[in-house]
Amino acid sequence: MVGLIKCLAVAAFCLAAPAIAHPGEHHDPQAVKREVRAREAMAFHAKRSLSGCANSLHARELKDRNVARRAHTLQQLRKKRNISSRPAKYRRDLAALERWEVVDHNHTLAMNDGSEVLNSENEVFGAYTSCILTPTITDGPYYVWGEVVRQNVKEELYSDGVDVHLEVQYIDINTCRPVPGALVDIWNANATGVYSGVSVSGNYAADGWDSTYLRGVQQTDREGVVNFDTIFPGHYDGRATHTHLLTHLNATLLPNKTLEVGTGSVAHIGQLFWNEVLRTAVEDTYPYTTNTKPVTSNAEDMWSVQQADSAYDPFPEFAYLGDNLDDGLFAWIQIGINATLDFTDSSNYGIAAYYEADGGHENSAMGGAPIGTGSMPAMPSSTSA
């Protein structure tokens, strides 16, 4: 249960250094400083809260169920792809990574010892993985409201790349229990660094505002889990490689499998990052090799390097399904949220477009900037365990 406490701290930004974000994304340094102070306060409350429940019976039982589920998922993914070869032996050059990346998220090697399957499964899947305290960072200028509920967000066009089956589990930091019924948006750039659904300077999506590739919504199950079939994201100028997640609580799901506008709260805004050696290996494959945009490393990114450390780890765990990337990846991460907070009015939250029955539409009210008021939710005076 010690690993669950990892989600408690959020490191400060290095505000003095100039940085490039998504094209069209702007940040007020003073506002960011205020948000840093608010996050530090949240981390303090979350630590006290989680410490009181991380070793409880229900938390230990949840760990056992996580082991069984993730091991089963890996087996089923390999079976579906008719993969009989052992996962590739793959290690990162730890000396070349920044300090917070020293933790080896690649669990491929641990699955090779067939004589100790149970031990391997516990080693790989048993520990609480990285938690991300809300709100991680901005949702960027490319969030689209109204994406369809679907697990497989890959489409026939513009979705070629290394397959990733991503499992995300949401844990309430106040109780250490799963968060069922949350509606989770996912979106990321395709292999050539372009987002669907938005067509503006810096990001001209193929098929324009009507495009939906690599976007979707899933609802967490009783274990607080959602699964997405997507691809490893491509890079673009000014940002390290990342995947977006945004989580709604108590939002209304319409019969057409979209979310009703204006319902529910925004409980988490986050970006998942991917370690450099894995990214390099992926980008040596087609169609990533056709991406001519400059690469930004994790160390150069305006968000990941300032926020990530041994306590705050935004890198998913992962395993190769087979002996090379052609077989795809299984990745998983645990995210700690405070279900009592709402970031709808935060400057981190903005809607670039709406996808409706007649297609996609630009949010004219946004004007290239987040639509939130810029305020952070008030911190509770105490957090109960």
Side-chain angles (χ1 to χ4, degrees), residues 43-96:
F44 172 79
H45 285 277
K47 181 176 182 179
R48 184 172 62 181
S49 178
L50 284 173
S51 296
C53 61
N55 290 313
S56 64
L57 176 61
H58 69 76
R60 296 196 300 270
E61 291 174 342
L62 178 63
K63 172 186 172 181
D64 292 340
R65 296 196 299 272
N66 287 346
V67 171
R69 183 187 64 254
R70 291 167 183 160
H72 178 73
T73 298
L74 181 59
Q75 293 167 2
Q76 291 302 305
L77 290 170
R78 285 169 53 83
K79 182 178 179 180
K80 181 179 180 180
R81 291 164 172 75
N82 295 315
I83 300 172
S84 57
S85 60
R86 288 185 173 183
K89 182 178 180 180
Y90 174 77
R91 285 189 178 275
R92 302 185 300 157
D93 179 9
L94 299 180

Side-chain angles (χ1 to χ4, degrees), residues 77 80-81 152 154 159-166 214 228-233 274 282 285 288 319-321 324-331:
L77 290 170
K80 181 179 180 180
R81 291 164 172 75
N152 185 359
K154 296 179 294 182
S159 299
D160 292 339
V162 172
D163 288 340
V164 176
H165 182 94
L166 176 65
L214 304 179
F228 289 102
D229 290 303
T230 183
I231 67 166
F232 194 92
W274 302 87
V282 168
T285 67
Y288 299 90
Y320 279 43
L321 296 179
N324 60 63
L325 285 169
D326 291 339
D327 294 320
L329 299 165
F330 172 40

Side-chain angles (χ1 to χ4, degrees), residues 144-163:
V144 176
W145 183 288
E147 297 300 340
V148 177
V149 173
R150 56 179 179 172
Q151 176 175 318
N152 185 359
V153 300
K154 296 179 294 182
E155 297 183 358
E156 183 177 356
L157 298 177
Y158 319 119
S159 299
D160 292 339
V162 172
D163 288 340

Side-chain angles (χ1 to χ4, degrees), residues 158 195-200 203-213 355 360:
Y158 319 119
Y195 287 89
S196 68
V198 175
S199 189
V200 294
N203 187 90
Y204 291 109
D207 296 340
W209 299 96
D210 294 334
S211 56
T212 58
Y213 54 88
Y355 190 78

Side-chain angles (χ1 to χ4, degrees), residues 22 25 27 39 136-140 244 269 271 303 347-348 370:
H22 297 83
E25 183 177 345
H27 297 277
R39 289 173 180 139
T136 310
I137 47 182
T138 175
D139 65 359
H244 290 268
I269 303 169
Q271 295 178 20
W303 294 111
S347 61
N348 284 325

Side-chain angles (χ1 to χ4, degrees), residues 202-251:
N203 187 90
Y204 291 109
D207 296 340
W209 299 96
D210 294 334
S211 56
T212 58
Y213 54 88
L214 304 179
R215 291 180 180 269
V217 178
Q218 279 284 279
Q219 189 168 33
T220 58
D221 62 19
R222 59 189 293 180
E223 299 285 14
V225 171
V226 290
N227 290 274
F228 289 102
D229 290 303
T230 183
I231 67 166
F232 194 92
H235 72 270
Y236 51 91
D237 190 16
R239 289 301 318 278
T241 301
H242 62 280
T243 299
H244 290 268
L245 294 171
L246 192 147
T247 307
H248 312 265
L249 296 181
N250 302 312

Side-chain angles (χ1 to χ4, degrees), residues 100-112:
W100 77 88
E101 283 192 297
V102 171
V103 177
D104 194 347
H105 300 80
N106 181 5
H107 289 286
T108 305
L109 193 58
M111 298 301 294
N112 287 342

